[in-house]
Amino acid sequence: MEDRFADTMSLGEMLPKVLGDALGVNAMEGLRAIRVVEAWRTVLGPTMGRYSSKERFEQGTLFAAIQLPALRQELFMNRASVIRKINEQMGVDVVKNLILR
């Protein structure tokens, strides 16, 4: 007798495939970019987050404008740690570079 559950997938595995098929690859990349920016804001927290704007994620690079020079310098010096925390939030290593303006 054939196992009818052999091809089962969890919702987490199925959803990206269904959305990718329905919306196309560009839509999936757009959703990932939104999630990366949300993770960035979570890592920064509400206090530092209010000094960040114009965030965008493209091809492994997260771009953000930081209004306070001292905060920009602090984030720049700790960018490896910030990238690691964002990737932990995402659950996968998607952010490879961080550019602060």
Side-chain angles (χ1 to χ4, degrees):
M1 182 170 177
E2 191 175 317
D3 184 12
R4 67 181 190 161
F5 299 109
D7 294 333
T8 60
M9 298 168 79
S10 72
L11 185 58
E13 294 169 328
M14 185 174 45
L15 192 58
K17 180 174 177 9
V18 170
L19 286 176
D21 291 346
L23 301 175
V25 175
N26 290 338
M28 291 304 296
E29 288 301 316
L31 291 173
R32 175 174 281 171
I34 291 169
R35 290 187 56 225
V36 167
V37 170
E38 288 175 355
W40 161 255
R41 291 180 184 155
T42 299
V43 167
L44 283 184
T47 303
M48 289 190 292
R50 68 182 147 181
Y51 300 108
S52 175
S53 63
K54 301 180 184 175
E55 301 96 348
R56 75 180 199 282
F57 178 70
E58 296 175 3
Q59 301 176 345
T61 301
L62 175 62
F63 300 86
I66 306 295
Q67 282 78 33
L68 293 177
L71 177 59
R72 183 173 43 251
Q73 182 66 24
E74 181 71 24
L75 290 170
F76 178 78
M77 297 297 291
N78 294 302
R79 68 186 175 278
S81 175
V82 172
I83 290 170
R84 182 180 42 78
K85 289 177 183 178
I86 293 169
N87 286 333
E88 286 173 2
Q89 288 280 322
M90 293 293 295
V92 64
D93 289 343
V94 293
V95 179
K96 306 295 183 204
N97 197 9
L98 176 61
I99 302 208
L100 304 170
R101 299 182 186 151

